[in-house]
Amino acid sequence: MSAIAVTGATGQLGGRVARRLAARGLAQQLLVRDPARAPQLPGATATRASFTDRDAVREALDGVPVVLMVSASENEERVEQHRAFVDAAAAAGVGHLVYISFVGAAPDATFTHARDHWHTEQHIRATGLPFTFLRDNLYADFLPYLAGTDGVIRGPAGDGRVAAVAQDDIADAATAVLTDPAAHAGRTYDLTGPEALTLHEVAALLSVTYQPETVPEAYRSRSSSGAPGWLVDAWVSTYTAIAAGDLAAVTDAVPRLTGRRATSVAELVKR
């Protein structure tokens, strides 16, 4: 196999995947905005190519058999950034696109960022590129950061449940797909942890507390930060998606792709 292209290698998820591919002795092309920040890995070459630099992306991906597209950081222009990258990948003749999406991606998803992922998925489909969508649940690694400095998680999640997934599990699943893309062509996998927990249960594992809020309370507390409206909507809808049951389904995708059981929140906390 020729070099596998990986985006987001300077981040938590893309970096994990890049390290796994390097450990397998596979050649990689790391597409990054700043090559100086790219991880130094055997067999890896860093190339400057931001999502919106169509010419750079097209040149970097020319003839690449498979690319991991880690979604861009949240911003108002994210869907357009994704479309630019996908179009460049299609023009370069990429053989297979593996896209990191989100559970429940839909045009009317409760979690606002999941709507961005749906629009990106639809655009990928429209190009005719062979694809695999890895729809992640909420990152289990992110759960400790839900608590404020006072040790309290506040949000309008009610008694809803979330099947949060560990980033290491996502990276292992992505590596399995990248190294055998044909076996996963056209497939969509919902990646989850082994159980769905309420935020009361999550808080107990983290040795903090959970204090449910109403939706108006959540908007008032977060709007005071001065964050833009789209970001406040995203913050609040993280919790309302849990309350709505959108993140509660547990799947066997991680075990099927990795050959081992998914990591629980309790196991992650002990690491």
Side-chain angles (χ1 to χ4, degrees):
M1 180 183 287
S2 302
I4 296 172
V6 175
T7 73
T10 59
Q12 292 294 318
L13 182 56
R16 280 175 163 85
V17 175
R19 290 192 293 273
R20 283 160 170 76
L21 294 175
R24 293 185 177 213
L26 298 173
Q28 300 179 71
Q29 178 94 277
L30 307 180
L31 275 63
V32 295
R33 286 177 294 180
D34 181 3
R37 295 182 56 231
Q40 302 298 307
L41 298 169
T45 301
T47 301
R48 188 186 304 276
S50 65
F51 273 20
T52 55
D53 190 340
R54 296 173 188 252
D55 290 341
V57 172
R58 186 169 61 249
E59 182 178 351
L61 296 183
D62 184 30
V64 167
V66 58
V67 56
L68 174 69
M69 180 184 173
V70 178
S71 53
S73 57
E74 293 84 357
N75 67 84
E76 286 188 288
E77 308 299 326
R78 182 160 68 155
V79 174
E80 292 308 313
Q81 292 172 353
H82 287 176
R83 286 173 175 160
F85 181 87
V86 170
D87 288 344
V94 164
H96 193 111
L97 182 65
V98 180
Y99 175 61
I100 302 297
S101 186
F102 194 82
V103 163
D108 57 351
T110 306
F111 181 42
T112 56
H113 288 326
R115 303 172 195 174
D116 292 349
H117 289 292
W118 183 85
H119 288 294
T120 301
E121 287 184 4
Q122 293 302 109
H123 192 71
I124 293 170
R125 291 179 185 275
T127 66
L129 276 170
F131 67 85
T132 303
F133 298 147
L134 299 180
R135 289 182 169 182
D136 305 340
N137 204 292
L138 195 67
Y139 290 161
D141 312 63
F142 172 71
L143 294 177
Y145 299 100
L146 295 179
T149 56
D150 59 353
V152 180
I153 298 174
R154 294 180 176 84
D159 292 321
R161 294 181 176 273
V162 56
V165 60
Q167 287 183 320
D168 279 332
D169 288 357
I170 300 168
D172 285 343
T175 300
V177 174
L178 290 167
T179 53
D180 189 14
H184 306 284
R187 302 292 300 275
T188 297
Y189 296 101
D190 287 354
L191 304 183
T192 76
E195 59 188 348
L197 304 174
T198 67
L199 289 192
H200 289 290
E201 293 168 332
V202 168
L205 291 171
L206 298 175
S207 299
V208 299
T209 59
Y210 167 52
Q211 180 179 312
E213 288 181 309
T214 66
V215 171
E217 286 172 341
Y219 269 99
R220 282 196 298 272
S221 65
R222 287 154 181 80
S223 296
S224 64
S225 69
W230 66 266
L231 185 54
V232 173
D233 287 340
W235 287 342
V236 174
S237 65
T238 303
Y239 295 92
T240 55
I242 296 173
D246 296 352
L247 307 184
V250 175
T251 75
D252 65 350
V254 167
R256 283 192 289 125
L257 290 171
T258 68
R260 60 168 178 77
R261 70 185 299 275
T263 306
S264 68
V265 174
E267 291 167 333
L268 192 63
V269 169
K270 292 177 182 177
R271 291 181 179 176

